[in-house]
């Protein structure tokens, strides 16, 4: 799930580029008009390539966000010998909970790191590293359930698999590994791609889903509860494969892109395109572009309308409550909650909490977002003004040190602290790993941090992304994001030479509209069609795009 920018709002500046008209494979899967029966035929898919091409956007970054340099040791609780994952070493009971991401756990081998085991799938191959390959059947059922609410992505798979638009594509991916992501990965395979995959979050992997993907031949290196060393090892195993070199990257957070750029520069130079879906990863791409070091075209999916408005807003509006309930059983009515950041994620979180009867405060650095919060009925404050009285703090800014040790020291007993942004930098968790504070694991992804005077603060997922670490997210919303990612990969992979320079591009408006149109039949929605006279009056093509690139929904 992506977070919202917190250190300086980046203004979108659309720079138009004239592009030579040429065949665009991705256009074949774009139909801008939904017929009266809400079905789109392949015969309707015909638009000009110039209109469909992405527009480069340049965002000034006011503050440098540092790359993670090489491998970093991860401050963690005392563990037993070896590389046993963090969650395994803290408490046996925490690994047997069904509460986190509905993940099935086989406790019989909890003490063994997947890196220390040799496993084979039914085909006799071992090019994967998951918790337990025997969970594959259970994972397959999880994927089948997800497919039922991802009809648009399945529809795209059926329409395009005959032409194999990704034939020859070797995609290395670093995303959350869930049943919904598995539907995306299997769609990419059906469209002709070879895939190797790892997790972008050490807590969000569904072990049974990773096993199911490994069983069908996808090289997956991920398991729930990895250590920091495991995390980077898994990324390296995906990239560093003898006789196999990636030519496309699908990233969520920028860690994979950074690893390839730093460790395998020759491989990075041969990448044909990068698709990034988080604000953290997009920031990193802009840094490379600004420094003149981005030698491949990249697609910014995070700022597409279908990602921002649906994945960030509507998804978080539902999943914030799910994550808090599963971990703490908290009663929301009457609770004082401060949400740090009022971007799309913050808007979703505040709307959900307000509806449940919570007293909600908002912190913001951007006067426009702050004014929106005021008009929506929230009091905009500085965190220090309410730190002693609030019951829950939720960060969703994309920034670092939004909640500091000094502020944590002043929170009242029993307060809950969690993060809804992609990165774990928003809460200064490292400052809590000191001798005078005691950590007590009470359930999966729930820690009591105990001060010398007995005060307890409840920290969720060690400051990492709450909803995907501690619960699940709506499948339908992930279908929207996954369809967007698939089309972006098709577009970059099949674009003629010269269409995309070494820059960061925004998703084409026509592609955004097509993704939305694919999901309308789920609601039996019927679009009104413009008459020729109306289209001429508005200066629009009857088939779209219906809004200019600068339009803000």
């Amino acid at each position: 799930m992506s977070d919202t920018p917190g250190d300086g709002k980046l203004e979108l500046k659309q720079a138009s580029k004239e592009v030579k008209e040429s065949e665009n494979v991705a256009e074949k899967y774009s139909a801008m008009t939904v017929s009266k029966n809400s079905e789109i035929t392949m015969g309707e898919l015909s638009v000009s390539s110039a209109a469909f091409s992405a527009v480069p956007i340049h965002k000034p970054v006011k503050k440098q966000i540092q790359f993670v340099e090489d491998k970093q040791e991860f401050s963690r609780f005392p563990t037993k010998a070896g590389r046993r994952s963090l969650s395994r070493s803290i408490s046996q009971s925490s690994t047997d909970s069904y509460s986190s991401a509905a993940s099935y756990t086989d406790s019989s081998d909890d003490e063994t790191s997947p890196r220390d085991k040799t496993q084979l799938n039914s085909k006799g191959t071992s090019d994967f590293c998951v918790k337990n390959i025997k969970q594959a059947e259970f994972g397959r059922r999880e994927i089948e359930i997800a497919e039922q609410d991802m009809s648009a992505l399945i529809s795209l798979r059926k329409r395009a698999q005959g032409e194999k638009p990704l034939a020859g594509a070797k995609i290395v991916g670093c995303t959350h590994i869930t049943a919904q992501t598995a539907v995306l990965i299997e769609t990419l395979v059906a469209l002709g791609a070879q895939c190797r995959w790892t997790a972008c979050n050490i807590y969000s992997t569904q072990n049974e889903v990773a096993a199911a993907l490994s069983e069908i031949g996808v090289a997956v290196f991920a398991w729930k509860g990895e250590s920091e060393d495991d995390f980077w090892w898994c990324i390296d195993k995906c990239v560093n494969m003898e006789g196999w070199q990636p030519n496309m990257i699908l990233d969520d957070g920028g860690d994979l892109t950074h690893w390839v750029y730093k460790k395998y520069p020759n491989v990075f130079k041969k990448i044909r395109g990068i698709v990034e879906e988080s604000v953290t990863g997009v920031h990193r791409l802009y840094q490379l572009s600004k420094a003149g070091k981005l030698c491949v075209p990249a697609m910014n999916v995070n700022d597409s309308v279908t990602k921002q408005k649906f994945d960030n807003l509507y998804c978080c509006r539902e999943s914030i409550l799910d994550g808090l309930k599963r971990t703490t059983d908290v009663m929301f009515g009457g609770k004082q909650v401060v949400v740090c950041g009022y971007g799309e994620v913050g808007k979703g979180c505040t709307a959900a909490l307000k509806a449940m009867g919570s007293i909600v405060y908002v912190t913001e650095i951007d006067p426009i977002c702050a004014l929106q919060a005021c008009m929506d009925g929230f009091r905009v404050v500085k965190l220090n003004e309410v730190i002693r009285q609030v019951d829950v703090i939720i960060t969703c800014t994309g920034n670092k040190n939004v909640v500091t040790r000094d502020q944590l020291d002043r929170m009242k007993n029993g307060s809950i602290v969690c993060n809804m942004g992609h990165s774990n930098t928003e809460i200064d968790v490292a400052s809590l790993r000191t001798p005078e504070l005691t950590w007590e694991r009470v359930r999966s992804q729930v820690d009591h941090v105990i001060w010398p005077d007995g005060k307890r603060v409840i920290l969720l997922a060690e400051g990492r992304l709450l909803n995907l670490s501690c619960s699940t997210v709506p499948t339908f919303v992930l279908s929207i994001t996954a369809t967007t990612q698939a089309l972006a990969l098709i577009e970059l992979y099949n674009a003629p030479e010269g269409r995309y320079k070494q820059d960061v591009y925004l998703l084409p408006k026509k592609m955004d509209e097509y993704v939305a149109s694919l999901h309308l039949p789920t609601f039996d929605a019927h679009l009104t069609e413009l008459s020729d006279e109306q289209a001429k009056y508005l200066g629009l093509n009857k088939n779209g795009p219906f809004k200019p690139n600068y339009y803000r929904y």
Side-chain angles (χ1 to χ4, degrees):
M1 300 323 308
S2 288
D3 41 19
T4 60
D7 193 1
K9 281 288 178 179
L10 303 179
E11 296 181 2
L12 291 178
K13 294 183 179 180
Q14 306 294 344
S16 63
K17 288 189 177 180
E18 293 185 3
V19 183
K20 181 180 178 181
E21 291 192 8
S22 54
E23 183 177 0
N24 184 340
V25 176
E27 294 169 11
K28 296 181 180 180
Y29 314 110
S30 173
M32 295 303 110
T33 303
V34 181
S35 59
K36 293 183 179 180
N37 62 359
S38 298
E39 293 181 356
I40 303 175
T41 64
M42 292 300 290
E44 296 174 318
L45 307 182
S46 178
V47 293
S48 68
S49 61
F52 197 60
S53 298
V55 178
I57 55 177
H58 304 274
K59 299 187 176 184
V61 179
K62 294 183 179 179
K63 186 174 181 180
Q64 188 74 0
I65 297 179
Q66 297 296 325
F67 282 113
V68 180
E69 289 298 335
D70 302 326
K71 296 184 180 179
Q72 291 183 346
E73 276 302 311
F74 181 53
S75 296
R76 52 182 181 251
F77 301 114
T79 62
K80 295 183 180 180
R83 295 182 299 263
R84 190 189 335 165
S85 64
L86 180 60
S87 65
R88 307 302 181 203
S89 62
I90 295 170
S91 79
Q92 179 66 32
S93 62
S94 69
T95 65
D96 294 331
S97 172
Y98 283 78
S99 65
S100 296
S103 184
Y104 171 80
T105 301
D106 181 0
S107 60
S108 63
D109 60 355
D110 277 353
E111 297 301 314
T112 305
S113 168
R115 291 171 63 176
D116 296 329
K117 296 189 294 185
T118 299
Q119 302 182 75
L120 298 175
N121 61 17
S122 61
K123 299 176 183 178
T125 62
S126 60
D127 186 22
F128 61 88
C129 189
V130 299
K131 184 60 182 177
N132 187 352
I133 190 64
K134 295 179 181 178
Q135 296 177 2
E137 183 179 352
F138 179 72
R140 177 52 50 191
R141 294 198 296 269
E142 291 273 3
I143 296 171
E144 290 171 351
I145 292 173
E147 287 177 341
Q148 296 174 21
D149 210 17
M150 301 181 78
S151 56
L153 185 60
I154 298 299
S155 175
L156 177 65
R157 180 195 298 181
K158 291 178 179 178
R159 296 176 190 196
Q161 64 182 356
E163 299 180 26
K164 303 291 183 185
L166 291 176
K170 296 181 179 180
I171 303 172
V172 60
C174 182
T175 65
H176 302 283
I177 297 182
T178 63
Q180 296 82 9
T181 307
V183 180
L184 168 62
I185 295 171
E186 292 184 350
T187 296
L188 299 178
V189 172
L191 301 187
Q194 298 178 31
C195 295
R196 297 177 68 83
W197 228 263
T198 188
C200 68
N201 185 296
I202 64 175
Y203 293 133
S204 63
T205 298
Q206 289 181 264
N207 287 332
E208 64 279 5
V209 172
L213 289 170
S214 300
E215 173 61 29
I216 65 169
V218 178
V220 176
F221 296 85
W223 59 93
K224 186 179 181 68
E226 299 168 6
S227 68
E228 191 79 358
D229 179 66
D230 293 332
F231 175 80
W232 295 110
W233 179 86
C234 288
I235 287 180
D236 192 71
K237 290 291 289 184
C238 274
V239 178
N240 187 16
M241 169 66 176
E242 184 177 355
W244 193 92
Q245 181 172 302
N247 53 27
M248 298 291 292
I249 292 176
L250 177 57
D251 210 353
D252 185 352
D255 289 321
L256 172 60
T257 301
H258 167 61
W259 188 261
V260 178
Y261 171 76
K262 282 286 188 179
K263 297 294 183 181
Y264 304 98
N266 292 331
V267 173
F268 189 77
K269 292 176 183 178
K270 296 178 182 179
I271 295 293
R272 295 176 63 169
I274 300 170
V275 175
E276 172 59 56
E277 73 153 310
S278 79
V279 93
T280 303
V282 167
H283 278 322
R284 290 178 165 185
L285 289 173
Y286 285 126
Q287 289 171 17
L288 288 175
S289 179
K290 185 178 180 180
K293 297 179 179 179
L294 184 63
C295 54
V296 297
M299 193 75 80
N300 171 7
V301 170
N302 179 73
D303 288 313
S304 66
V305 178
T306 45
K307 172 65 166 61
Q308 283 279 352
K309 289 295 181 182
F310 297 93
D311 197 338
N312 292 10
L313 175 60
Y314 299 117
C315 174
C316 294
R317 190 175 67 183
E318 297 192 19
S319 59
I320 180 63
L321 301 180
D322 188 22
L324 286 170
K325 278 290 188 184
R326 291 196 194 204
T327 51
T328 66
D329 302 314
V330 64
M331 179 79 176
F332 296 112
K335 288 291 190 299
Q336 296 192 56
V337 183
V338 59
V339 177
C340 301
Y342 202 66
E344 299 299 336
V345 174
K347 288 180 176 69
C349 293
T350 52
L353 292 162
K354 181 180 180 180
M356 295 300 291
S358 298
I359 302 166
V360 183
Y361 305 97
V362 170
T363 70
E364 250 302 338
I365 63 169
D366 188 315
I368 296 176
C369 292
L371 183 58
Q372 285 181 308
C374 292
M375 296 297 289
D376 288 337
F378 301 109
R379 184 182 169 197
V380 179
V381 299
K382 292 183 177 180
L383 185 55
N384 285 333
E385 296 172 0
V386 296
I387 192 66
R388 294 186 182 276
Q389 67 193 59
V390 294
D391 301 291
V392 184
I393 293 180
I394 302 169
T395 59
C396 45
T397 70
N399 203 353
K400 64 180 294 186
N401 295 335
V402 178
V403 181
T404 64
R405 171 61 189 271
D406 176 66
Q407 291 164 332
L408 291 163
D409 286 339
R410 288 185 284 147
M411 293 185 69
K412 67 182 183 181
N413 182 55
S415 300
I416 300 169
V417 186
C418 64
N419 170 47
M420 281 289 286
H422 175 83
S423 178
N424 64 335
T425 59
E426 303 205 30
I427 302 167
D428 189 8
V429 176
S431 68
L432 298 176
R433 302 189 187 281
T434 55
E436 72 272 14
L437 300 183
T438 303
W439 286 61
E440 180 182 77
R441 174 59 56 93
V442 292
R443 23 172 105 156
S444 180
Q445 315 306 334
V446 181
D447 292 293
H448 281 174
V449 183
I450 308 171
W451 269 251
D453 63 358
K455 182 188 82 171
R456 294 172 179 241
V457 168
I458 303 170
L459 178 64
L460 305 182
E462 298 185 25
R464 296 179 183 271
L465 182 59
L466 172 69
N467 54 4
L468 277 161
S469 295
C470 301
S471 60
T472 58
V473 294
T475 298
F476 181 79
V477 169
L478 293 185
S479 174
I480 297 174
T481 300
T483 305
T484 304
Q485 291 170 312
L487 287 172
L489 287 167
I490 293 172
E491 168 64 15
L492 282 177
Y493 183 70
N494 291 280
E497 186 176 357
R499 170 172 291 168
Y500 297 112
K501 309 298 183 183
Q502 298 170 356
D503 206 346
V504 183
Y505 292 81
L506 188 64
L507 196 73
K509 181 70 66 174
K510 294 181 75 68
M511 198 180 292
D512 250 338
E513 291 178 349
Y514 175 56
V515 172
S517 69
L518 282 176
H519 289 82
L520 289 177
T522 300
F523 304 99
D524 193 25
H526 304 273
L527 287 176
T528 300
E529 298 179 13
L530 289 174
S531 66
D532 292 337
E533 183 180 3
Q534 289 174 321
K536 182 178 180 180
Y537 178 78
L538 293 174
L540 297 176
N541 186 312
K542 290 179 65 175
N543 296 324
F546 299 99
K547 298 291 190 297
N549 285 321
Y550 57 79
Y551 182 82
R552 298 180 180 180
Y553 291 80

